[in-house]
Amino acid sequence: MKLKEEIKSSGLKLTRHRQEIFRLLKESRQPVTAEQIYATLRERNISINLSTVYRILDSLSGSELISKINIGEDKKNHYEYNCMAHRHYLVCLCCNNIFSVGDCPLSDYEKQVAKQTDFVITGHKLNLYGYCSNCKDKAGQCH
Amino acid sequence: MKLKEEIKSSGLKLTRHRQEIFRLLKESRQPVTAEQIYATLRERNISINLSTVYRILDSLSGSELISKINIGEDKKNHYEYNCMAHRHYLVCLCCNNIFSVGDCPLSDYEKQVAKQTDFVITGHKLNLYGYCSNCKDKAGQCH
DNA sequence: CTACATGCAAACCGTTTGCACCCTA
DNA sequence: TAGGGTGCAAACGGTTTGCATGTAG
């Protein structure tokens, strides 16, 4: 489905800003923050307010067009196009970029923990930390 | 080692407040937030300021007596006695309490992802979500 | 024309910091 | 008594909100 239809069919009004943000997320290979989106749009001479960025991210998440992810290292949220797949994240401790990983080794483990703890387990989050291929050689010099 | 010695031997001055907070964490079966610590101390008629709680949590973490954990669901940090073991967390979506889990199934997976992505992986965080044994029956009624 | 989108400024909430005073070692 | 610990109030940073105006359908 085309970008515009995706937005419309989720019941949201089609706005210049919504299109730009949704496109940006759809084309980005990595989850990004509200600030990053804001900065990118302004570089492209698209005038927008930060709170509008947040509101748009909210409405797109509400319609499940994108997902909000909470890595928790810094306090900033990240957002990515919602491909409807279960994902894990790879966080670079040097450049702070986040990469998505598709496969998941955990279904057996969930069952095992459920048994041990008497929890009903409904999901999980797994983040891996390290140094990406760009940063691995300068690991010592990072923040 | 006794509580007081643990604090002293890490180079920190021994204070009423530090003792109380460290003891509270050591005795708690669950990771807790700064606010929870603050509230508990005041219930016990120990007068303290929230910023002091944060400062003590900072210094205890700095000395590795406790660890700071960043679950990321709410934006609050949690703290727990540092048992020096690698841990994962079980978060109850109803009462928001956090439980620690000891065992970890991920070392093979780390190697596999490292190969696929050309990352140097240094660690990971795994959180499981669900309903604890107290809450599992009222899952529908939670926030 | 109406309901939702937006800009702006102010509020929010968890956490941190500056400064004056206090107390442990 | 010196240097770290503490209370208080104010700052901080990411995010949210109230209100007046703008715009898509």
Side-chain angles (χ1 to χ4, degrees), chain A:
Chain A
M1 196 174 356
K2 284 269 177 51
L3 206 137
K4 295 188 183 184
E5 283 124 48
E6 273 188 276
I7 295 178
K8 280 189 181 173
S9 71
S10 71
L12 298 173
K13 275 190 189 171
L14 187 61
T15 306
R16 170 92 197 278
H17 287 156
R18 287 227 249 252
Q19 282 181 68
E20 295 290 354
I21 290 181
F22 187 45
R23 179 143 51 91
L24 194 156
L25 287 167
K26 216 171 165 178
E27 290 171 356
S28 168
R29 311 86 56 228
Q30 301 172 13
V32 293
T33 65
E35 285 282 359
Q36 288 173 322
I37 292 171
Y38 179 65
T40 307
L41 293 183
R42 310 203 107 222
E43 276 167 26
R44 298 184 186 168
N45 288 311
I46 298 170
S47 141
I48 192 172
N49 190 277
L50 224 203
S51 55
T52 304
V53 174
Y54 278 108
R55 278 195 271 233
I56 289 179
L57 291 172
D58 249 27
S59 54
L60 295 178
S61 315
S63 310
E64 316 242 280
L65 293 175
I66 65 172
S67 32
K68 180 176 182 172
I69 55 188
N70 221 294
I71 294 297
E73 283 320 278
D74 45 13
K75 7 199 150 174
K76 298 176 195 164
N77 294 314
H78 286 73
Y79 300 84
E80 71 174 342
Y81 176 62
N82 184 4
C83 62
M84 290 299 180
H86 176 63
R87 332 207 72 174
H88 295 315
Y89 300 98
L90 212 42
V91 181
C92 179
L93 298 170
C94 179
C95 64
N96 285 316
N97 279 317
I98 296 176
F99 304 82
S100 302
V101 189
D103 53 7
C104 171
L106 289 171
S107 62
D108 287 344
Y109 180 67
E110 280 194 1
K111 285 174 205 147
Q112 173 191 330
V113 172
K115 208 173 271 179
Q116 277 171 26
T117 60
D118 198 27
F119 243 72
V120 175
I121 294 182
T122 57
H124 63 256
K125 274 194 199 174
L126 171 61
N127 305 322
L128 301 170
Y129 298 87
Y131 297 94
C132 73
S133 47
N134 287 329
C135 296
K136 52 170 51 161
D137 297 324
K138 43 181 173 167
Q141 310 143 41
C142 301
H143 352 216

